[in-house]
Amino acid sequence: IAGITQAPTSQILAAGRRMTLRCTQDMRHNAMYWYRQDLGLGLRLIHYSNTAGTTGKGEVPDGYSVSRANTDDFPLTLASAVPSQTSVYFCASSALAGGPETQYFGPGTRLLVL
Amino acid sequence: GQNIDQPTEMTATEGAIVQINCTYQTSGFNGLFWYQQHAGEAPTFLSYNVLDGLEEKGRFSSFLSRSKGYSYLLLKELQMKDSASYLCAVRDQDYKLSFGAGTTVTVRA
């Protein structure tokens, strides 16, 4: 079934540890995105990639890094996790960055940093 | 950047109509989206407006006025399964989405 997968589903992480959240899509979408969702704040863009080989910073990029080596994968890395990074993380993709195409969201990763 | 406002909560009765308003201030506009998100799940696409006017899709309709920085999502013939959070999102000139905090709609029997 075509779509977006994220791993892990949930994770408890000690502060200071490094963590990579994985995101893979099989729809051959050009654009991919990482959001975090916190109660009362809605979804906020962390990083994005309009096409393989390029990345850009969103609204809240500090403490996170991404790479886009190929079309399908867009991993998000927390170099040294802090408790404020406790959140639900959603990966999304769209066929093109512009146009009427919507973004399709993965199921999310629930991260707790202690 | 974007500043997007929508009500926090709304309650309505099964079979009724509910209108969720969204106002935005933007440095560049390239479309407005509405998403539905059930608790513990990912957002799913409902509607897209880029020109002024009404877009109708079954029981859901969305309206946009670019000059007023205003949109609404209209949910008709409410069903219990419509209880969810509804997210207004504005796309900027760089094709990035900014989301409002979401409106939680509770449908009562």
Side-chain angles (χ1 to χ4, degrees):
Chain A
I1 298 177
I4 302 177
T5 57
Q6 292 184 236
T9 302
S10 63
Q11 182 76 44
I12 299 174
L13 188 66
R17 296 297 295 269
R18 181 184 180 90
M19 173 78 190
T20 295
L21 308 184
R22 299 184 298 278
C23 175
T24 299
Q25 53 99 1
D26 62 2
M27 297 178 283
R28 307 304 295 171
H29 282 176
N30 283 305
M32 297 187 74
Y33 312 85
W34 273 106
Y35 296 90
R36 59 178 290 173
Q37 187 173 37
D38 304 289
L39 203 60
L41 293 177
L43 286 155
R44 291 181 293 169
L45 182 65
I46 304 171
H47 284 287
Y48 66 96
S49 169
N50 286 337
T51 188
T54 68
T55 62
K57 294 182 179 180
E59 180 184 355
V60 289
D62 294 343
Y64 306 95
S65 64
V66 292
S67 61
R68 186 88 186 276
N70 57 60
T71 297
D72 299 344
D73 301 300
F74 191 43
L76 176 74
T77 298
L78 288 66
S80 179
V82 295
S84 62
Q85 291 178 310
T86 293
S87 188
V88 180
Y89 291 86
F90 287 102
C91 179
S93 73
S94 62
L96 294 172
E101 293 83 10
T102 184
Q103 293 184 14
Y104 295 89
F105 286 81
T109 294
R110 285 147 186 81
L111 180 66
L112 174 62
V113 182
L114 299 175
Chain B
Q2 321 283 6
N3 185 17
I4 302 168
D5 291 313
Q6 51 182 129
T8 303
E9 295 180 334
M10 302 182 75
T11 301
T13 305
E14 196 173 16
I17 298 173
V18 69
Q19 177 174 315
I20 306 170
N21 296 323
C22 172
T23 58
Y24 63 90
Q25 295 172 315
T26 176
S27 57
F29 180 82
N30 201 353
L32 187 143
F33 294 80
W34 283 95
Y35 288 84
Q36 180 189 60
Q37 186 177 26
H38 285 99
E41 298 182 7
T44 56
F45 170 75
L46 286 179
S47 70
Y48 169 73
N49 296 74
V50 67
L51 300 176
D52 290 352
L54 188 68
E55 293 286 339
E56 296 187 87
K57 190 182 292 186
R59 294 188 298 114
F60 295 171
S61 302
S62 58
F63 172 83
L64 174 67
S65 170
R66 289 172 296 171
S67 62
K68 295 182 179 178
Y70 170 70
S71 173
Y72 67 74
L73 179 69
L74 196 68
L75 285 64
K76 294 177 277 190
E77 302 169 16
L78 278 173
Q79 302 175 10
M80 299 300 288
K81 67 178 182 180
D82 297 330
S83 291
S85 183
Y86 292 85
L87 314 179
C88 174
V90 175
R91 187 167 62 189
D92 66 17
Q93 69 276 13
D94 296 321
Y95 306 117
K96 299 192 298 292
L97 283 182
S98 293
F99 285 81
T103 299
T104 299
V105 172
T106 302
V107 180
R108 300 177 304 187

